[in-house]
Amino acid sequence: MPVAAAAKDRVKKPKQPKKPKGPPKPERIEIGALPALSYDSDLGLGFGLIASVARFSPGYRPYRWRLELLLSANAKRAPGRGIEVPFHDDYLNMDFPGLAGDRLRITARVGFRKFANTGYYGFGNDSAATEPWEGIDPDQELMAYQAARRYHRFDHIYPLLLFNARIKVWDRSTVQQRRRIEALVGLNTTYNIVRPYAGSLLEQDIALKASGTPDGKALGNLLQGTDPHALVVLSAGALFDTRDHEYTPTRGTFTELTVRASPGVQQNLRYAAFSLNSAWYKAFLGEWLSFAIRGVADVIVGDAPFYELTRFGALMPRDGPGGGWSLRGVPRQRYAGKIKLIQNLELRSMFWKFTIKNNHFTVGAVAFLDAARIWADFGRTELGGQGIDGGTFKLGTGGGLRVRWGETFLVRFDGAYSPTDKTQGFYVDVGHVF
């Protein structure tokens, strides 16, 4: 063989460049599974498993169906020494849009919670967060110190079933933007076991309520549902949706106008609650830079269980004001009342996209400001001769990171500080706050 020919044979052929990956296929299944490693200042380090499966098909938005499973518990350093498990949360979320000729969407959740660290600070905008453990040496009086650290806590155990049917009554949506109105009909049922800790504020207020004093009578209008009971809540309302994306919107609005009511299955817990929850999104540079704002007004009439006075909403009930889903930087269940106002402002940016094998990821950042104001009841409420609804808006501010996997799985990392309460919080969770 000639030398030139042999040398030519030894020359390596250049590698063919990989074809660029295009957008996701319209017909596909997205599967995501991660260790459920989360963190919440109130609950500690969360561990477990979170997984989601979503089926995408042409003509279905945002997908044909989606399941999300969470099995998790939280571990936190116990006061003084040792480890405690304050929160246990297991659920299966089910979402089926596009039913009945794309006129019906059904969402459901089956779950179980044990919240040994539920907050109770009393009622009203002026409720105090005391620190009775000051002056107690945990090395010398460990049990007394741990009991004092549970002064604003109680144990709340409840299995739950949440079911919502969303029915389209008007739809002019396009591929780029939704324009629809839906009717909402729902059922939320729980069985609640409330266990006050010895010496806690809740135990003291339960005793005060039974005393027949003026303070006891004032608490009687607010401190309901402390014995084990079933609670059945029916909800109805309307949803207005013009968002460009359900999970990471940059344009449009989403508004929930609902009423939820309990017929009083046990302990005469009859009440109605009215909620207006409206979010607005504005894109300046697409996903690169957008602005989001949400306003919530939630009003309860009647004898609701006391723990419902720290919650809002019917489509997806949330804790608030206080905690990572409403007033960041302020402890969960910090404020309780029948009238709540909550505002959230966020400046969002999703700026870095990359692909690992066939998985598409996007990384972004958020800066936010949260505010809230509550009133214990409709009239003036006094305890100890003082009104409990003074003060002004409570604030929380901070920033965080966002990581989106595919189209529907978003993890957020938020750090927050409250200049009004002088407290801070750090949260790792799934999904935008709104």
Side-chain angles (χ1 to χ4, degrees):
M1 180 183 291
V3 176
K8 185 177 180 181
D9 288 343
R10 288 196 300 268
V11 175
K12 293 183 179 180
K13 294 182 179 180
K15 292 183 179 181
Q16 296 295 324
K18 294 182 180 180
K19 293 182 179 180
K21 297 182 184 295
K25 295 179 181 179
E27 184 76 40
R28 69 189 189 279
I29 292 180
E30 280 190 3
I31 300 175
L34 290 171
L37 298 176
S38 62
Y39 185 81
D40 188 299
S41 304
D42 304 315
L43 307 177
L45 178 66
F47 57 93
L49 172 71
I50 185 167
S52 68
V53 181
R55 172 70 182 273
F56 293 83
S57 296
Y60 290 87
R61 293 187 65 192
Y63 36 71
R64 190 164 188 171
W65 52 260
R66 183 175 186 265
L67 305 179
E68 180 181 282
L69 173 69
L70 175 70
L71 303 171
S72 74
N74 286 64
K76 188 176 183 181
R77 183 180 177 183
R81 68 172 69 103
I83 299 295
E84 62 182 1
V85 182
F87 189 56
H88 186 84
D89 190 16
D90 304 318
Y91 67 71
L92 175 64
N93 278 347
M94 297 161 277
D95 190 1
F96 301 93
L99 301 176
D102 202 30
R103 303 291 298 178
L104 173 66
R105 179 175 186 174
I106 291 178
T107 58
R109 170 179 286 196
V110 180
F112 172 83
R113 279 187 169 185
K114 185 182 187 304
F115 198 167
N117 211 23
T118 311
Y120 177 76
Y121 298 81
F123 305 96
N125 205 59
D126 252 352
S127 59
T130 59
E131 298 181 348
W133 57 86
E134 289 188 343
I136 303 177
D137 186 348
D139 294 328
Q140 301 295 325
E141 302 175 87
L142 178 60
M143 293 184 65
Y145 180 78
Q146 291 178 335
R149 291 301 297 253
R150 290 194 291 263
Y151 181 73
H152 286 298
R153 299 287 181 259
F154 68 94
D155 190 11
H156 189 188
I157 302 170
Y158 58 104
L160 61 97
L161 171 63
L162 175 64
F163 174 89
N164 285 318
R166 297 164 59 171
I167 306 162
K168 290 183 186 177
V169 295
W170 182 83
D171 192 0
R172 296 294 184 271
S173 301
T174 65
V175 175
Q176 293 78 20
Q177 194 92 17
R178 293 180 179 187
R179 294 178 60 215
R180 69 173 58 153
I181 299 175
E182 298 173 296
L184 173 70
V185 179
L187 169 70
N188 187 359
T189 179
T190 57
Y191 187 80
N192 298 269
I193 300 173
V194 173
R195 302 195 299 189
Y197 294 115
S200 66
L201 177 61
L202 179 58
E203 184 184 65
Q204 294 175 19
D205 280 356
I206 291 173
L208 181 59
K209 174 187 170 183
S211 67
T213 63
D215 284 353
K217 292 178 181 178
L219 284 173
N221 295 325
L222 301 168
L223 191 54
Q224 305 284 339
T226 55
D227 293 327
H229 61 275
L231 184 68
V232 176
V233 179
L234 304 173
S235 57
L239 308 175
F240 305 86
D241 191 357
T242 65
R243 294 171 295 178
D244 60 336
H245 195 284
E246 181 165 340
Y247 289 89
T248 54
T250 60
R251 301 189 310 274
T253 68
F254 182 81
T255 299
E256 170 191 342
L257 180 61
T258 54
V259 57
R260 59 193 191 277
S262 169
V265 175
Q266 290 184 307
Q267 298 186 31
N268 294 318
L269 295 174
R270 299 187 182 91
Y271 70 94
F274 305 88
S275 185
L276 173 62
N277 185 340
S278 186
W280 298 69
Y281 309 92
K282 173 66 176 178
F284 299 112
L285 294 172
E287 280 196 329
W288 286 89
L289 185 64
S290 64
F291 177 74
I293 181 171
R294 178 180 71 167
V296 178
D298 195 89
V299 178
I300 297 176
V301 179
D303 295 320
F306 74 101
Y307 52 81
E308 284 296 314
L309 273 58
T310 61
R311 311 200 80 197
F312 64 92
L315 178 63
M316 187 57 69
R318 296 294 190 190
D319 290 330
W325 290 97
S326 55
L327 183 58
R328 285 161 285 189
V330 173
R332 282 196 184 204
Q333 297 99 20
R334 174 61 185 87
Y335 294 100
K338 292 186 176 181
I339 304 172
K340 311 176 191 70
L341 297 177
I342 301 170
Q343 294 83 40
N344 308 98
L345 292 84
E346 291 192 351
L347 191 64
R348 301 175 176 178
S349 176
M350 302 297 284
F351 51 78
W352 180 30
K353 296 184 178 182
F354 60 94
T355 301
I356 300 177
K357 293 186 177 180
N358 292 323
N359 298 294
H360 299 266
F361 295 88
T362 308
V363 177
V366 167
F368 59 82
L369 173 66
D370 303 333
R373 177 71 164 88
I374 69 148
W375 291 264
D377 212 335
F378 293 90
R380 178 178 171 85
T381 303
E382 292 187 355
L383 291 174
Q386 299 291 326
I388 61 176
D389 285 324
T392 183
F393 274 82
K394 312 300 179 180
L395 301 177
T397 185
L401 296 176
R402 300 291 183 268
V403 179
R404 189 177 71 196
W405 182 0
E407 288 192 37
T408 66
F409 193 79
L410 182 137
V411 181
R412 61 183 173 92
F413 305 81
D414 284 339
Y417 173 74
S418 172
T420 52
D421 287 50
K422 310 301 181 186
T423 54
Q424 58 276 331
F426 184 73
Y427 315 95
V428 182
D429 218 320
V430 176
H432 276 303
V433 174
F434 63 97

